Amino acid sequence: MDFAAWWLALGAALALAAAPARAAQPGMLPFSSEERALPNGLAVVVVPYESAGLVAVATIVRAGSRLEPAGSPAGLAHAVEHMAYRGGQRYDAAAYARLMQSLGAETAAETADDWTGYFVTAPAAGLERVLEAEADRLTAMAFTATDFRLEAAAIQGEFRRDAADPGSAARALLRGLAFPLGGYGHDPIGRAADVAALPQAYDAALAFYRQWYRPDHATVIVVGDVEPARAAALVERAFGGWSGSAPAFEPPVEGPQSAPRGAVKRDWPVATQPVVLVAWRAPGLAGADPAAAAEFAALDVAVELLFGPVSPLARELAVERREAESIAVELPVRRDPYLAVVELRGAAGRSPGGPDADLLRSAVRQAALAGTLAPADAARVEAVRSRRRALFRRQLESGEGVARALAPYTALPGGLASLARYEEALAAVTPEAVQAAAARWLVDAGVIEVIVERGAATP
Amino acid sequence: MSGARRRAALALGTAALALLAGLALPGCRPRQSAEPGTAPAAAEPAAGGEESVPPPGRGAPVVSIRVVFDVGAVDDPAGKEGLAALTAALVAGGGSRDEGYFALQERLYPIGGTIRGWADQETTTFVAEAPAEHATGLYAVLRSRLVTPRFDAADFERVRSAQVAALATTLRGADDEQLARRVLELLIFEHHRYAHLPEGTVRGLAASSPDDARRFWRERYRAGNARFGVAGAYPPELPEAIRADLATLPPGAPEREPLLPASPAGLPEVVIVEKPSPAAAIALGFPVAVHRGHPDFAALLVAMSWLGEHRTPYGRLYRELREARGLNYGDYAYAEHFVESPGTRFSAPGHPRSQQYASVWIRPVAPANAAFALRAALAELDRAIADGIPREEFERQREYLRQSLTLWRQTPDQHLGRELDDHFYGTPDGLARLDARLAALTPETLQAALVRHLRADRWKAVVVAQDAELLRQQLISGLPTPVAPADGAGPGTGDIPEADRRYASWPLGLVRASVFVVPAEALFETAVAPWRARP
């Protein structure tokens, strides 16, 4: 079956198969969508979506900072992302810019831990040219040493942009403490020393690009006012000649953690509210094993119940006692084991360097302990489930929003099916599973803590 | 059941946008009515169950509700700067007559709903967003907050403490780029009613009370100065429900003294904000007597977009400063007050202003290159005014903007927010009008408009930097400030040495008395500009 015929058949099958399930249970993605591999291994996802004549194209390469080799400056994946704007073989930087300008296109790129994504939104009539240009710059990237040195300087500028933010500093400290060996141990842009060394890392960046920018390591997502079979055929025409295969990758094995790490405290040179991070080691979503998704989903519900915006802890710290200006929790989707992170800002006007930051972190630890003692409240579990679906839905407010919502899942082994797997796991979470996940993961031996504030004792 | 689903699908298939300006109430000040950009929706009622689930293969499954009042920071009482913003934040993030703040948050939680409220200089905006199937539940919370706010003392303290922290720690201490841009607003509008930021001042906030906020709400949130809109896949009865609820607010519109135009920029002035920082963040600009409703707006838009459209690699400043020299992460130019819509190149709606300024944003550079970067931007601005834009580049830039107009309203909320801003400017159907004006521009009419409105030797700038005295010496000495090696970068390409000489020696026209140094901690304390205060 050729690709176009396959799409037509698929669309019909989905229309039949999906309707009853949706009627019973609003899904996270209320659109027909499916993933398909081209002969060269490239995955293609097309989502028809009413968007006033626009189309969003996202190319997600599973080449995030996770894959960066030891011995080279961190930040190679991010540097390659920058080099993509220097163009390819047929479209140099100026020709690429001219094309995108002529379409009035919005272009953006993002380097994450597990993937690097390139996003273009343009009139749907320009889809063929957008795909051609994206394929050219990503599969035949121009990579001169001179351009690389200039781009490395611009990356230093990007690094400077965040240098004034104590929250960025705290998160960077946390990563370093949690993952001393691997690519999760630093923000994708790298640490200050890495960014300073980047101008000399041309060969390493080129090698990174050649190794990991391969068709079996990428997904093209097309969302918008498109006819699916035609869109898929255009992707095949543009990217079909891409060849090669990404090697297998074994992430470095971090040593086991058997005791709390931190609290590491860092002094901040100007007045700031204390930034307090309390994190626990958490499971990744790498395996096709439903048990991994179940564990992830149960822990996700647990941390949301314990530290989320309507948790008893948030009510106590941020509303009633007002010791914290804000409290937020995140269990991000990652391929390998990562972290559940609670981030608090202390209330302004408290004594700098005083005990308040330590009180905040112990309040978080106590709330975690409470979560291990009894099953969660069933109605609250249902509320978290509902919120997860609702927040996913809210991302779907534009074609690019749809592509960005799907991106982290397409980068997991199993691709887009991992979203359905997560959704099923979320639907099946029980109050007992939430308690069990809290007891398994939110333990003292897995905790890592960081405080950044003015007047903090520097270790 | 299946019939209901189909009807819902059809209704949701049309891009849904209802926009209602003013309220058809006795005693209301009539307002110009809108031409809705698209047909209003008539979706099935979201009565729960499968009817409310948007069907596959359709548009955005979300709803946005915006309510705007013509009240803002220009209405702050003297000595209580920030009261408009406090009131907006308290209404959006407080309790209602019947339920406390946290109880309302618990209602928003499972539906993924958010309610935001802020005051700008002349308007106050509330935005409620949620997935479409939760539109009714979302509006119930918005309604209770807007129409029957509680003004609880504890809520007030919580909201005020966040607002003080945003000024006194976040802006002063944690975001140098925004710091430079916001202080530029103060410098440009120093003698105007825009002279304090909408967020207020530390002392003005301290002097405000819950009763002040309640009084401000009662006197100034009126049926006659309100407008609202709904976008996305909303239930058909929602607009009428909002209209009826807003009609319960006091009728008429509060009086406001007309705003005078801002004075044109005089001789150049620079404020250096001194604070520990590894880099120098720069913003420069000047008032312009042109807003979106003005016939010359299209010309300024093309020119500033050509110099540097926000977060795009197409602009001249970006190419010269970032791509060719690696000085920083980006360099952009703006024809009007610009609030970022995070992660995109588009401005966030809900900040319309009758008094405008044009500006250039130079993202942080190495401190040694601050003077060079400022001079380079001024030199490029001068070239644009003096020589205009080469015809081919003009055509390309104009085409780019015309093609972009659809992207400016990609999401239901962007679409709605833009249309409500259009009402402020008195230009309903603003994008179509802008498109027509862009189509009519020529390089010659563009340059004539630039000459009418811009002068490259009349500007204000703000630099956030660590070693202020050294920078002041560089700025007033008149000596060239050549580019320092760009952090390990090798030589670039093209005619950089010649252009470098031009940039490095660009005349700034600054003397010691026109370069002020202020510590970051002195900012935003009162409505008096700290650089005018005598030690």
Side-chain angles (χ1 to χ4, degrees), chain B residues 14 23 76 96 131 217 224 259 311 477:
Chain B
T14 64
L23 299 163
D76 284 340
S96 71
W217 168 78
L259 285 179
R311 282 182 68 98
S477 74

Side-chain angles (χ1 to χ4, degrees), chain A residues 34-428:
Chain A
E34 190 59 51
E35 197 169 26
R36 162 80 176 183
L38 297 183
N40 63 1
L42 179 72
V44 183
V45 175
V46 181
V47 183
Y49 176 93
E50 280 195 4
S51 55
L54 296 174
V55 66
V57 173
T59 308
I60 309 299
V61 188
R62 289 188 285 284
S65 46
R66 170 180 181 265
L67 301 177
E68 289 169 0
S72 296
L76 295 180
H78 176 248
V80 171
E81 176 227 294
H82 275 243
M83 294 307 292
Y85 286 88
R86 300 271 171 176
Q89 298 299 324
R90 295 170 55 206
Y91 291 82
D92 63 11
Y96 181 82
R98 267 199 304 279
L99 172 66
M100 293 302 158
Q101 234 182 332
S102 73
L103 295 169
E106 157 97 338
T107 63
E110 176 183 349
T111 306
D113 288 346
D114 291 341
W115 50 270
T116 301
Y118 301 86
F119 302 88
V120 180
T121 299
L127 176 61
E128 184 169 7
R129 283 173 292 163
V130 167
L131 286 169
E132 189 180 278
E134 291 301 274
D136 180 54
R137 69 172 182 147
L138 297 178
T139 71
M141 202 178 284
F143 225 101
T144 72
T146 304
D147 283 351
F148 186 81
R149 281 201 304 276
L150 282 167
E151 210 49 52
I155 290 170
Q156 290 183 327
E158 185 179 359
F159 191 81
R160 279 194 295 265
R161 179 192 63 175
D162 295 329
D165 174 25
S168 298
R171 289 186 287 274
L173 265 176
L174 177 71
R175 280 174 175 264
L177 275 175
F179 304 104
L181 300 179
Y184 288 174
H186 57 84
D187 194 74
I189 199 172
R191 296 157 290 236
D194 301 312
V195 174
L198 198 57
Q200 283 77 50
Y202 170 72
D203 291 335
L206 183 58
F208 185 91
Y209 167 69
R210 287 182 174 154
Q211 189 166 20
W212 299 114
Y213 276 58
R214 295 295 173 189
D216 61 347
H217 213 222
T219 302
V220 175
I221 306 172
V222 180
V223 188
D225 283 323
V226 294
E227 199 277 299
R230 178 170 176 274
L234 290 177
V235 174
E236 183 163 26
R237 188 187 304 168
F239 285 88
W242 197 10
S243 64
S245 181
F249 176 78
E250 285 296 325
V253 178
E254 304 280 352
Q257 178 176 339
S258 54
R261 292 187 187 170
V264 168
K265 298 185 179 182
R266 172 155 302 175
D267 182 35
W268 197 249
V270 297
T272 178
Q273 295 154 271
V275 180
V276 178
L277 301 182
V278 181
W280 285 271
R281 295 195 176 273
L285 264 176
D289 177 10
E295 190 69 3
F296 184 90
L299 182 60
D300 186 26
V301 174
V303 297
E304 183 69 19
L305 286 175
L306 295 170
F307 315 115
V310 295
S311 62
L313 185 70
R315 180 176 197 146
E316 181 187 331
L317 293 182
V319 179
E320 288 171 356
R321 284 166 33 200
R322 288 194 25 248
E323 289 168 350
E325 193 74 56
S326 65
I327 172 169
V329 63
E330 190 186 19
L331 174 61
V333 170
R334 289 291 184 282
R335 183 172 178 144
D336 301 330
Y338 188 63
L339 300 169
V341 184
V342 183
E343 178 167 346
L344 302 101
R345 298 282 161 133
R350 305 267 164 162
S351 58
D356 300 317
D358 281 322
L359 287 179
L360 291 177
R361 84 187 161 86
S362 63
V364 172
R365 299 274 293 272
Q366 280 168 20
L369 182 62
T372 66
L373 301 180
D377 178 84
R380 293 203 167 257
V381 171
E382 190 49 44
V384 175
R385 237 195 299 271
S386 169
R387 180 175 178 80
R388 281 284 172 269
R389 292 187 191 113
L391 292 182
F392 188 89
R393 283 283 183 96
R394 281 195 55 187
Q395 297 179 76
L396 314 178
E397 61 176 6
S398 68
E400 184 174 328
V402 174
R404 285 185 179 270
L406 299 182
Y409 296 96
T410 63
L412 294 171
L416 199 54
S418 58
L419 173 62
R421 206 162 50 236
Y422 166 69
E423 203 173 340
E424 285 160 18
L426 183 68

Side-chain angles (χ1 to χ4, degrees), chain A residues 51-52 397, chain B residues 14-19 35-39 64 66 129 229-232 292 346-350 405-423 429-432:
Chain A
S51 55
E397 61 176 6
Chain B
T14 64
L17 181 76
L19 184 76
E35 289 294 322
T38 47
S64 164
R66 280 185 178 240
E129 295 175 275
V230 190
R292 278 184 211 173
F346 310 109
S347 65
L405 297 182
T406 313
L407 276 75
W408 291 8
R409 50 181 195 195
Q410 269 182 82
T411 72
D413 184 59
Q414 283 171 339
H415 192 169
L416 177 59
R418 267 214 85 93
E419 297 230 355
L420 284 164
D421 286 354
D422 285 344
H423 273 262
D429 211 9
L431 288 183

Side-chain angles (χ1 to χ4, degrees), chain B residues 207-494:
Chain B
S208 301
S209 71
D211 280 345
D212 290 332
R214 183 195 297 276
R215 197 175 311 119
F216 194 86
W217 168 78
R218 190 184 298 128
E219 290 173 1
R220 298 194 171 269
Y221 285 42
R222 308 264 281 267
N225 67 342
R227 53 191 174 276
F228 73 95
V230 190
Y234 59 85
E237 68 279 12
L238 185 57
E240 205 41 59
I242 301 173
R243 182 194 299 276
D245 287 328
L246 292 179
T248 65
L249 293 173
E255 292 298 315
R256 177 193 280 170
E257 295 273 314
L259 285 179
L260 297 174
S263 328
L267 292 171
E269 287 183 322
V270 175
V271 167
I272 303 175
V273 177
E274 188 164 36
K275 69 179 282 275
S277 176
I282 303 171
L284 79 108
F286 32 79
V288 288
V290 171
H291 62 52
R292 278 184 211 173
H294 191 288
D296 284 342
F297 180 73
L300 260 59
L301 187 69
V302 172
M304 298 312 261
S305 174
W306 175 80
L307 270 175
E309 177 88 2
H310 180 67
R311 282 182 68 98
T312 69
Y314 312 134
R316 181 152 178 90
L317 293 172
Y318 185 99
R319 290 202 307 273
E320 290 295 317
L321 299 188
R322 174 182 155 156
E323 280 194 349
R325 292 176 177 79
L327 284 184
N328 62 358
Y329 186 48
D331 305 276
Y332 313 117
Y334 308 92
E336 60 178 345
H337 177 58
F338 186 95
V339 175
E340 285 180 83
S341 186
T344 78
R345 72 165 202 252
F346 310 109
S347 65
H351 304 270
R353 296 182 177 186
S354 63
Q355 305 305 310
Q356 285 292 345
Y357 63 101
S359 64
V360 171
W361 176 17
I362 299 168
R363 304 197 81 156
V365 297
N369 284 329
F372 178 86
L374 176 62
R375 286 174 136 166
L378 286 165
E380 288 300 328
L381 183 67
D382 180 76
R383 193 202 299 260
I385 300 168
D387 301 348
I389 302 176
R391 182 170 297 274
E392 189 188 338
E393 294 182 33
F394 163 83
E395 297 288 355
R396 194 183 305 150
Q397 203 67 34
R398 175 173 65 171
E399 182 62 14
Y400 166 69
L401 285 168
R402 294 188 67 190
Q403 289 281 350
S404 294
L405 297 182
T406 313
L407 276 75
W408 291 8
R409 50 181 195 195
Q410 269 182 82
T411 72
D413 184 59
Q414 283 171 339
H415 192 169
L416 177 59
R418 267 214 85 93
E419 297 230 355
L420 284 164
D421 286 354
D422 285 344
H423 273 262
F424 175 89
Y425 292 111
T427 57
D429 211 9
L431 288 183
R433 191 180 293 220
L434 177 59
D435 191 43
R437 289 213 164 116
L438 287 169
L441 267 185
T442 67
E444 293 74 27
T445 56
L446 179 139
Q447 196 197 354
L450 297 189
V451 170
R452 267 198 297 282
H453 299 293
L454 309 185
R455 283 186 64 171
D457 60 348
R458 295 284 186 272
W459 49 271
K460 312 280 178 190
V462 176
V463 186
V464 178
Q466 179 153 331
D467 193 342
E469 200 45 50
L470 177 67
L471 179 59
R472 167 142 72 177
Q473 289 303 328
Q474 289 175 340
L475 294 177
I476 65 178
S477 74
L479 298 172
T481 49
V483 65
D487 308 326
T493 53

Side-chain angles (χ1 to χ4, degrees), chain A residues 1 3-20 22 31-34 46 48 227-229, chain B residues 56:
Chain A
M1 189 186 305
F3 204 25
W6 169 80
W7 267 104
L8 290 173
L10 175 74
L14 277 174
L16 288 173
R22 281 199 184 83
F31 312 117
S32 58
S33 71
E34 190 59 51
V46 181
E227 199 277 299

Side-chain angles (χ1 to χ4, degrees), chain B residues 142-158:
Chain B
L142 176 66
R143 183 203 157 282
S144 72
R145 282 181 164 160
L146 263 184
V147 181
T148 56
R150 175 176 287 212
F151 296 107
D152 179 85
D155 285 343
F156 180 86
E157 288 303 329
R158 175 175 48 79

